Amino acid sequence: IHGLNLTLNNIDINGIDPLGMVLQAKVNKRGSIDTRGTLAWAPLSTNLNIDLKKVDLVSLQGWGGDQLNALLTRGNISFKGKVDAKGEPLVVALNGTGRLSSFNIFDKRRRSDLLRWRNIGINGLKFVNEPLRVDISSVQLDRFYARVNILPDGSLNLNDIVKQDKTVAENELKASKAPPASSKQSMPIRIGKVVVNKSNIDFSDQFIQPSYRANLTGLTGKIEPLHPNKTGKIEITGAVDKSAPLDISGTIDPFSSELKLDIAAKANNIDLPTF
């Protein structure tokens, strides 16, 4: 952090009356932080307008990178919005727009790219932690890539990003074998629409024999809306291995107590070597 400018006014040493604050700085030469608002600490109460631009996240992964089987090799975050926090227990409300740019997540175990994208834009974000609720007007995926593998034991490779100790893994295995709970709750997440542009999913299934692989390229389209107990419509086009035209359509409800999914896919003129 360099070029740090901090201005405080109306300072109450006891922290009861909120002080005025302006914080400006450059982060790793490329990114910047501009924060303006009020802050009190007895009890904690803050009202801040935050403007982050291209703040590098690679240098921050040391705070939690040892908990991951994946390595963030590049990526930055931008956010412009407002944060309010107050009360006991602390209630945090966040509103604004964000962008995750130039990301690359590397699978350390299999030594290959796992996820990458040019931009993920998050528009109209409203977050409250108590009670938990997340509302997003739209999510835009630009040149998104994911390597999705169903492993020989039937598990999904993306579930293995976060390290788990043996006890946690055994407990989750027991839970997966237990009878389903009678009353699961919906997830408090609402997304107006997800827009996909020129994206790529490299899918392989090692659980079935003979194993199968499909490289889905040029995926473009949208899914909308994604609300609990409301079916979202899927309309995506693309290609198989950049050559065979692909249409994916149907409905999905991912945030209700039970996942609901009804998807049809159609491809023409797939090259025989794929099989």
Side-chain angles (χ1 to χ4, degrees):
I1 296 176
H2 65 100
L4 175 65
N5 297 310
L6 175 64
T7 303
L8 304 176
N9 56 60
N10 300 323
I11 299 172
D12 175 11
I13 298 299
N14 295 318
I16 298 174
D17 295 327
L19 58 80
M21 179 178 72
V22 177
L23 171 66
Q24 298 171 310
K26 291 287 186 180
V27 182
N28 288 347
K29 297 183 180 181
R30 293 180 53 199
S32 65
I33 297 174
D34 189 323
T35 301
R36 302 164 185 261
T38 60
L39 172 66
W41 55 88
L44 179 62
S45 176
T46 184
N47 185 313
L48 298 174
N49 291 302
I50 298 176
D51 188 359
L52 306 179
K53 294 179 180 177
K54 295 185 177 180
V55 175
D56 177 37
L57 292 177
V58 176
S59 57
L60 302 179
Q61 69 180 325
W63 290 351
D66 58 345
Q67 301 298 317
L68 303 176
N69 289 317
L71 181 69
L72 178 63
T73 59
R74 62 176 179 163
N76 60 70
I77 184 171
S78 299
F79 175 80
K80 187 170 185 178
K82 185 176 181 179
V83 177
D84 289 312
K86 60 183 177 181
E88 293 181 0
L90 189 65
V91 176
V92 179
L94 183 149
N95 299 274
T97 61
R99 184 174 299 277
L100 301 170
S101 304
S102 303
F103 260 68
N104 195 97
I105 299 175
F106 187 77
D107 188 333
K108 292 190 288 188
R109 288 184 173 181
R110 297 172 182 87
R111 299 182 181 180
S112 60
D113 285 345
L114 184 62
L115 297 167
R116 66 174 182 264
W117 59 83
R118 176 178 291 179
N119 285 302
I120 293 183
I122 302 173
N123 303 307
L125 170 64
K126 296 180 180 180
F127 167 87
V128 179
N129 71 320
E130 188 61 41
L132 179 63
R133 175 163 174 155
V134 180
D135 289 347
I136 299 173
S137 297
S138 66
V139 176
Q140 296 177 310
L141 307 179
D142 184 24
R143 297 185 184 274
F144 181 86
Y145 167 85
R147 182 172 54 80
V148 181
N149 295 345
I150 299 178
L151 303 174
D153 63 359
S155 62
L156 192 66
N157 68 318
L158 297 180
N159 291 338
D160 196 34
I161 292 178
V162 179
K163 291 181 180 179
Q164 296 183 2
D165 60 38
K166 186 177 180 181
T167 302
V168 172
E170 289 175 350
N171 289 340
E172 288 192 351
L173 181 60
K174 290 177 182 177
S176 67
K177 294 180 179 179
S182 58
S183 58
K184 296 180 180 178
Q185 294 185 347
S186 301
M187 298 175 64
I189 300 174
R190 291 169 173 79
I191 301 175
K193 63 180 177 181
V194 177
V195 180
V196 182
N197 180 46
K198 296 181 180 179
S199 296
N200 178 196
I201 295 178
D202 187 354
F203 174 80
S204 64
D205 189 340
Q206 298 173 325
F207 180 69
I208 61 172
Q209 293 299 324
S211 59
Y212 171 75
R213 177 179 175 272
N215 187 25
L216 310 181
T217 58
L219 298 176
T220 300
K222 61 183 178 180
I223 306 170
E224 61 177 348
L226 295 176
H227 294 183
N229 303 311
K230 186 172 183 178
T231 301
K233 188 176 181 181
I234 300 173
E235 295 177 339
I236 295 176
T237 60
V240 178
D241 285 329
K242 300 181 180 181
S243 59
L246 171 68
D247 284 297
I248 302 172
S249 61
T251 59
I252 185 171
D253 180 3
F255 299 139
S256 295
S257 57
E258 297 289 345
L259 172 66
K260 297 177 182 177
L261 187 54
D262 185 359
I263 295 177
K266 179 175 68 175
N268 296 316
N269 300 321
I270 300 175
D271 287 338
L272 286 176
T274 300
F275 295 98

